[in-house]
Structure formats: structure tokens, C-alpha cells
Amino acid sequence: MPDFHKLEGTIPVAPLSLIVMESAKELGNSVDNYISQFRHELYKMPENDPAFHGYVKDSYLIGYELDRFASGEAKATIRESVRGNDVYILTDVCNYSITYKMYNYVNHKSPDDHYQDLKRVIGAITGKAKRINVIMPFLYEGRQHKRTGMESLDAAQMFKELHDMGISNFITFDAHDPRISNAKPIGGFDNFLASYQFMKALLSHIDDLVVDKDHLTVISPDEGALDRAVYFANVIGADTGMFYKRRDYAHVVNGTNPIVAHEFLGSDISGRDVIIIDDMISSGSSMIDTAKQLKSMGAKRVFICTTFGLFTDGMKKFDEGYEQKFFDAVITTNLTYMNEEVLSKEYIVVADMGKFLATIIDFLNHDASMSTVNMPTDKIHEIVRKYNSGCKTPTELFD
């Protein structure tokens, strides 16, 4: 855990307010509880200093409403004052479970709908809050991050649009391509990884994992995920390898060129445990195929780590892959919505991100250095050392 006592020597930017969109309600409540816990228990601030008025509270949530007219149009209303406050807005643009009525038809909210609702809330508080910060764990339009021919460049347009509306900081996780920040080079952009939470979940559920270069390999399923795989492998002291995708560039299916085959680049993985790490699982076909190939190459066990488990085609192919022993577990985070069917699967392990996100907000509210929060390398080294020395229970491994 980062050293929260460092915050005692800094003054918060402004009183903290947290607006949690309906799409991220469960995660937002967890974050709110953690922030309150931090400020009640972990450190002390001057009680009579006006700069810390309202600093320690039981909740930092601000009430709001999104009213929708019968035509489908909508408006946002903030029910509490945020004037002069440091406001953090948390949204999950991939929560497809939320519905609304339009012309008496029931519609499920798309990422576009969630993004418009976010802009409505920003519009309602712009000019009143001291600072507006957007926390969007899954980057809206992050998959449309580059232009090939006459295509829209949606991710960059979104990022520029929000900064033009007055936000100060944009916080996301495992961005498909963090270079979208180039669209607004002087705008605040933080991209966090779930590396520590992945390792924590793995070591909490797998008690016979040997974490070293001789027994464990971290695999990137494609070229785009190579950086995060190399970082994760280096931090935990494992070997690394990658697949590259041979695509059929003569055809387009569901907006992309279909994959013809996965080709492996790396050392022999026979008898080794393998971790596949990627930013997201969409339909899952590519991930299942990668896991199947690894098992056919002699991998002992295959663990899939992904920041966003979207499972857009349902769980059937994962059920089949698990039954055929192509993989042994899927570790994903609670940064985006997963339905009860997903959460009920025995092979799904959820890495909780509430505490990490609360830490990010607390440090940003103080404009404190994010170095120990963003890259917890020392912390990962510590839990790996403890695990390899015989500590197996969560109490022994984690603070």
C-alpha cells in the first residue's frame, strides 16, 4: 500500500466530492467506503484548519438525477452543491444492464448513451466545481484508437471533447492505446494497470504456483499487449513470450479483419505454468484459441488475466474451453459490469479494484506524487518473495 502519511504534509486541492454514475454504482460505493476508511483511520489532518473543513466524512457521494423525456432525450440535475469542490465522476460505459424507455420501447444503454450521460453531468457542474476529474475505467471508443483510411478517430475525439468541456484530469485503466492523450497534450491523463491486483488474486487462489523464470511464463496474446506482458513478467521475475495474429486483410467481419491463425514466438513452455495477460476479453474466441495452443504445446496450466472481462458472446465457449482444460482460471477486475452468469462461473476470479481506485482519488485530491500508486513494483516484489518463501495465506501475504 502507498504511504498515506505522505498526504499529511500536503493540502487538498479542494473538498472532495464523488459522483457515481448509475453504471458504476457498486464499484463507486466500494470506493466511497474505502476513502472514508482511509481518512478516518490511516492518517491525521488538522481538525481546525479551514483547508481541511469537511475532510473526514462518512460519505463523499453527491446526489444527482438523470431524467429522460418520453422522446428519449435527457437532462442531468445535481442535487447538492459542488461549488469550489474537487469533483470525481466515475462511469462504466460498458454497463449494458441499464435500460430506459423511448416511445414506449425499452432500450439498453449503449456506450454512446453512457458517454452522453457523462457529458450531461459535466455540463451541470462546469463553472461551479473547482476541478472536474473523470474516471472512465474502460476507455470509451478505445478500440477505435487509430485511423486506417477514411475512418473516424473516436477515442481521440472523445478525449479532446471532455477537456474542452472543462475537465482537468482523465483517469482510465489499461487503455487500448494511451497515445490518445496526444489529442490534448496539456490535458491530464493517467493510465493505470491492474498488475498488483492480478498477482494478488493469483497468489490468493493458486497455492502451488512457482514464480520464477524456470517455472512460469507470461504470454502476450498479440503484438498490442506485449508491453504489459513484458512489464508483468519482469516485475514478477518470469519468462515471457508472445503470439502474433495472422489476419485476413481481404475481408472485414464485425469491424475488423478476421484472424487466420495465432503464431507463437518464445522459448519452450513444456511443463510450465503460463499467464496470458491482455487488456480485455471481448467475444473470447482469440483468447480461447491462444489457451488451446498453449496447452497443445505442453503448458502445465494456463491462467488468463484480463482487465476487462466483457464476454460479449456469452460464456458458452469459455464453459467448453474450461471443460476441455484449455485454461484453468480467468482473473478479471470489477472495473466494468459483469452479470450474474459470469460471476457464478467457478473459473472466474474477480480482482477487486475498489481500494486501488480509492487510493488514486485520495492522492489526486492532494495533488500528491502518483509514482508509488501507478507502478507498485516494490509491492509486487514483496508479495512474490513472501509467497516463494512459504507464506500462502492472504494475512501473511498482504497488508
Side-chain angles (χ1 to χ4, degrees):
M1 181 182 292
D3 185 2
F4 282 91
H5 291 290
K6 291 181 179 179
L7 301 184
E8 294 176 347
T10 62
I11 296 175
V13 171
L16 173 64
S17 293
L18 181 61
I19 297 178
V20 175
M21 306 295 286
E22 184 183 5
S23 58
K25 188 174 181 180
E26 186 173 346
L27 176 62
N29 288 335
S30 172
V31 169
D32 181 49
N33 290 334
Y34 275 120
I35 295 174
S36 180
Q37 179 186 334
F38 294 162
R39 295 188 171 188
H40 274 96
E41 301 175 6
L42 292 185
Y43 50 91
K44 296 289 185 181
M45 294 297 182
E47 295 182 1
N48 299 319
D49 190 330
F52 292 90
H53 176 70
Y55 185 81
V56 179
K57 299 167 67 174
D58 292 333
S59 176
Y60 298 87
L61 294 175
I62 295 295
Y64 80 99
E65 290 179 9
L66 275 169
D67 298 308
R68 195 169 293 272
F69 303 103
S71 61
E73 300 161 290
K75 68 174 182 179
T77 306
I78 308 301
R79 292 303 182 191
E80 302 174 49
S81 175
V82 295
R83 188 173 298 278
N85 287 10
D86 190 23
V87 180
Y88 293 80
I89 308 172
L90 174 62
T91 184
D92 174 13
V93 298
C94 286
N95 189 335
Y96 55 88
S97 70
I98 300 174
T99 61
Y100 65 94
K101 274 193 172 183
M102 183 174 71
Y103 292 95
N104 213 31
Y105 288 97
V106 175
N107 300 274
H108 285 261
K109 284 189 178 182
S110 71
D112 292 342
D113 292 314
H114 289 300
Y115 177 55
Q116 288 301 121
D117 287 344
L118 169 66
K119 290 197 296 181
R120 292 182 177 105
V121 170
I122 294 172
I125 62 178
T126 298
K128 303 171 183 64
K130 180 176 180 61
R131 191 171 71 170
I132 301 173
N133 312 271
V134 168
I135 304 171
M136 186 186 289
F138 186 93
L139 185 65
Y140 173 72
E141 291 292 357
R143 301 183 74 178
Q144 186 50 29
H145 63 285
K146 61 184 179 182
R147 177 177 286 151
T148 303
M150 297 180 65
E151 294 181 341
S152 56
L153 197 56
D154 296 55
Q157 180 63 38
M158 174 275 301
F159 183 64
K160 181 179 183 300
E161 187 174 20
L162 292 185
H163 274 279
D164 288 345
M165 289 186 71
I167 75 164
S168 299
N169 294 304
F170 186 92
I171 299 100
T172 192
F173 286 80
D174 214 344
H176 207 60
D177 191 338
R179 288 176 296 181
I180 70 154
S181 61
N182 294 341
K184 203 73 175 176
I186 59 173
F189 182 89
D190 286 294
N191 179 45
F192 295 92
L193 299 178
S195 305
Y196 174 73
Q197 286 72 24
F198 285 153
M199 207 63 216
K200 185 175 180 179
L202 276 167
L203 299 185
S204 297
H205 290 84
I206 314 297
D207 60 8
D208 61 344
L209 197 67
V210 180
V211 187
D212 61 31
K213 284 186 175 293
D214 297 322
H215 298 85
L216 184 64
T217 300
V218 179
I219 297 292
S220 167
D222 55 37
E223 308 93 305
L226 184 59
D227 285 349
R228 64 177 66 87
V230 169
Y231 167 73
F232 193 55
N234 286 341
V235 169
I236 67 176
D239 197 8
T240 189
M242 69 166 284
F243 282 86
Y244 72 91
K245 297 174 180 177
R246 286 201 291 113
R247 294 183 178 271
D248 177 6
Y249 288 99
H251 300 90
V252 176
V253 178
N254 293 329
T256 188
N257 301 107
I259 298 167
V260 177
H262 292 86
E263 306 288 351
F264 181 68
L265 298 174
S267 56
D268 183 19
I269 61 168
S270 297
R272 287 171 167 263
D273 286 327
V274 175
I275 298 172
I276 310 173
I277 190 164
D278 204 359
D279 60 334
M280 74 172 78
I281 291 175
S282 183
S283 68
S285 298
S286 177
M287 189 65 76
I288 294 296
D289 186 53
T290 299
K292 180 180 179 181
Q293 288 197 53
L294 289 169
K295 278 295 181 78
S296 70
M297 294 161 59
K300 178 183 175 185
R301 291 177 296 187
V302 174
F303 305 104
I304 299 170
C305 290
T306 183
T307 307
F308 304 106
L310 305 182
F311 305 107
T312 56
D313 287 353
M315 303 304 293
K316 182 179 179 180
K317 65 187 65 176
F318 280 88
D319 290 342
E320 293 172 350
Y322 185 63
E323 290 172 5
Q324 296 177 58
K325 302 187 183 302
F326 294 156
F327 66 91
D328 296 84
V330 176
I331 296 90
T332 189
T333 74
N334 60 341
L335 288 172
T336 193
Y337 172 77
M338 290 179 288
N339 62 31
E340 290 300 321
E341 180 191 9
V342 175
L343 296 174
S344 68
K345 302 300 181 182
E346 63 175 318
Y347 52 82
I348 294 290
V349 177
V350 178
D352 179 38
M353 301 295 288
K355 192 171 187 179
F356 184 33
L357 189 48
T359 304
I360 291 169
I361 293 172
D362 211 5
F363 271 69
L364 282 175
N365 181 232
H366 283 256
D367 262 351
S369 171
M370 301 296 291
S371 57
T372 57
V373 179
N374 197 12
M375 303 290 278
T377 304
D378 291 340
K379 194 65 180 175
I380 296 174
H381 284 164
E382 182 183 347
I383 63 171
V384 169
R385 179 188 57 80
K386 287 181 179 179
Y387 183 86
N388 285 339
S389 67
C391 299
K392 301 299 180 184
T393 66
T395 303
E396 294 174 313
L397 288 171
F398 315 116
D399 293 335

